[in-house]
Amino acid sequence: MSPAPEAGIRQLVVDADAGARLDAWLAARLPDLSRSRLAQLLEQDRVAVNGRAARKSERLRLGDRIELTLPEPEPSTIAPENLPLTIVYEDADLLVLDKPAGLVVHPAPGHHSGTLVNALLHHITDLSGIGGVLRPGIVHRLDKDTSGLMLVAKNDVAHRALADALKRREIRRIYLAAAWGHLARETVEVDAPLARSPTHRQRMAVLARGRPAVTRFQRLERWVAADLLRAELQTGRTHQIRVHLAHIGHPVVGDPVYGGAGARGISGPGTLWARSLEKLVPRQFLHATSLAFRHPSTGEPLRFDSPLPPDLTPAWAWARQSSGAEAV
C-alpha cells in the first residue's frame, strides 16, 4: 500500500480565492489529501481557521490563517484473506474486477471480514492508500447485492487521477436494471439531489439539501409489468440508481430497501406475471455491465463489459420470453 501523507501540522494563509468554501479551497491546495480525507479531518475538528475549529462550508477571507493537523496514520487491522476474485484486467496502476452479488466491498459494522478489501489485500501488495485503512484502492464502490465491474487503483498517483476523472464525469459507468412498471418515455433523465435520510440513517433519500445526482435511463426491453433499463450514472452517490428509480415510481425489482410493495404494487393483468418474476429474482436486479475510462498513465481509452451473471439470467430470459420482448 502506498504511504499515507506525513503526519504533523500544516499551516496555510489565504492569499487568493477569497469567498471560496474551506473544503474546496483545501482540496485545490493539498492534492496529496483526498476529498474524503479532508472531510474526515474537518469532521474531527482537525482544521482550524484563525485558531478556531472550522466548518467545511465556511467562506474564507484574504489573510485567514488555516492550521490543519494530520494525525499519525492508523494501522490497518484488516486481515488479508484468500478469497476468489474475478479480475478482468490488471497492470501496474490499476485493476478492473467483476464483483459477485453478496460480496461487501469494504469492512463495516457487521462485516469485519470476508470483504472485497480483505481479498484485495491478499492478492495485491501495492494497493493505493488514499481510500484510508478501510478502503484501500477503492475508486468507486458497488452495493453488497449489486454485481459487476469495479475499478481499483494500485498506487496513489493512479488513484488521484482516477478519482479526478470520476469527478469530471470522464469515467462511464453503465448498469442493467429491471424496474417495476413502465417508464413514461423511452429515455428519462432523473436530476434529483440525494442525502442521508433523516428518519432512516441507513438509507438515502431525495432531499433539496442533498448533493447533486443525475441518472439517465433508457428502456431496452418492455416486459409485461416491468422494464429492462440501461442506467448511466452522471454522478456517483450512494444507492443512486435505486433511489432515483424509486423516486419516479419504478423501483428496482428485488430491492429489499427501496422496492416498496414489489410485485404487490402491480395491479391489473400483470399481477400474476409480476409475482412470477419476483420469485425468479434472487436479489436486486442491478448489474454494473460496462466501464469505460482513459488509463491514468498512458491516456489509452479502455472499455470493459460484463454480461448479466448466472443468478439473474433465468429471470431475464423468462421475462423476455413471456413478454415477447426483442433482444437487447
Side-chain angles (χ1 to χ4, degrees):
M1 186 181 302
S2 304
E6 186 175 350
I9 295 176
R10 299 191 189 184
Q11 296 179 331
L12 306 96
V13 177
V14 179
D15 56 3
D17 299 326
R21 280 175 53 121
L22 173 60
D23 53 357
W25 193 91
L26 288 172
R29 284 155 180 78
L30 299 173
D32 61 323
L33 296 176
S34 67
R35 286 183 179 268
S36 60
R37 180 59 170 148
L38 286 170
Q40 183 183 58
L41 294 171
L42 284 160
E43 290 172 3
Q44 295 173 347
D45 292 334
R46 295 184 182 274
V47 180
V49 175
N50 300 325
R52 54 175 174 73
R55 294 173 291 107
K56 65 181 181 180
S57 59
E58 183 168 334
R59 299 290 176 174
L60 297 174
R61 298 172 297 176
L62 289 177
D64 280 346
R65 295 185 176 277
I66 300 173
E67 184 174 279
L68 183 146
T69 304
L70 279 173
E72 292 292 334
E74 180 184 352
S76 175
T77 57
I78 305 174
E81 296 181 43
N82 187 11
L83 304 174
L85 286 178
T86 301
I87 297 174
V88 299
Y89 175 84
E90 181 176 7
D91 62 24
D93 292 313
L94 59 90
L95 62 86
V96 175
L97 57 87
D98 203 332
K99 186 187 88 68
L103 180 64
V104 176
V105 170
H106 54 75
H111 298 282
H112 298 290
S113 62
T115 72
L116 175 62
V117 168
N118 293 100
L120 287 171
L121 291 175
H122 174 83
H123 289 277
I124 306 165
T125 59
D126 55 352
L127 279 176
S128 161
I130 286 180
V133 296
L134 296 182
R135 306 184 187 190
I138 303 300
V139 177
H140 65 100
R141 60 183 293 272
L142 295 178
D143 299 335
K144 174 186 175 183
D145 289 323
T146 298
S147 55
L149 298 170
M150 276 189 62
L151 180 57
V152 177
K154 294 177 66 175
N155 58 68
D156 286 356
V157 173
H159 201 154
R160 290 191 192 96
L162 291 169
D164 288 343
L166 197 63
K167 292 170 190 170
R168 294 192 301 266
R169 304 183 182 181
E170 294 173 354
I171 297 179
R172 296 193 70 186
R173 290 170 293 164
I174 297 172
Y175 293 70
L176 290 174
W180 290 117
H182 301 299
L183 295 185
R185 301 180 302 279
E186 293 300 307
T187 60
V188 172
E189 180 171 287
V190 180
D191 185 349
L194 300 181
R196 188 73 57 182
S197 168
T199 54
H200 301 282
R201 298 302 294 170
Q202 300 303 312
R203 300 185 184 186
M204 304 298 288
V206 172
L207 296 170
R209 62 175 174 79
R211 300 175 69 190
V214 180
T215 315
R216 292 176 181 167
F217 297 102
Q218 177 186 357
R219 177 164 40 230
L220 298 177
E221 296 178 2
R222 182 184 175 99
W223 299 338
V224 171
D227 283 338
L228 179 67
L229 305 176
R230 175 188 187 272
E232 182 170 0
L233 293 175
Q234 302 301 301
T235 54
R237 311 304 179 205
T238 301
H239 301 172
Q240 179 172 316
I241 292 173
R242 298 162 63 194
V243 178
H244 273 176
L245 282 173
H247 176 65
I248 63 173
H250 301 290
V252 172
V253 174
D255 189 338
V257 178
Y258 304 105
R264 299 191 310 277
I266 303 298
S267 58
T271 300
L272 293 179
W273 184 94
R275 291 176 181 172
S276 297
L277 176 63
E278 193 166 56
K279 291 177 182 178
L280 291 171
V281 175
R283 43 98 173 179
Q284 61 197 32
F285 199 117
L286 187 59
H287 177 69
T289 189
S290 182
L291 181 65
F293 57 94
R294 288 192 175 274
H295 194 281
S297 295
T298 67
E300 176 189 2
L302 299 173
R303 173 174 169 167
F304 304 93
D305 296 288
S306 170
L308 278 176
D311 65 335
L312 295 180
T313 301
W316 168 69
W318 177 86
R320 290 181 67 242
Q321 186 277 329
S322 60
S323 304
E326 295 181 357
V328 177

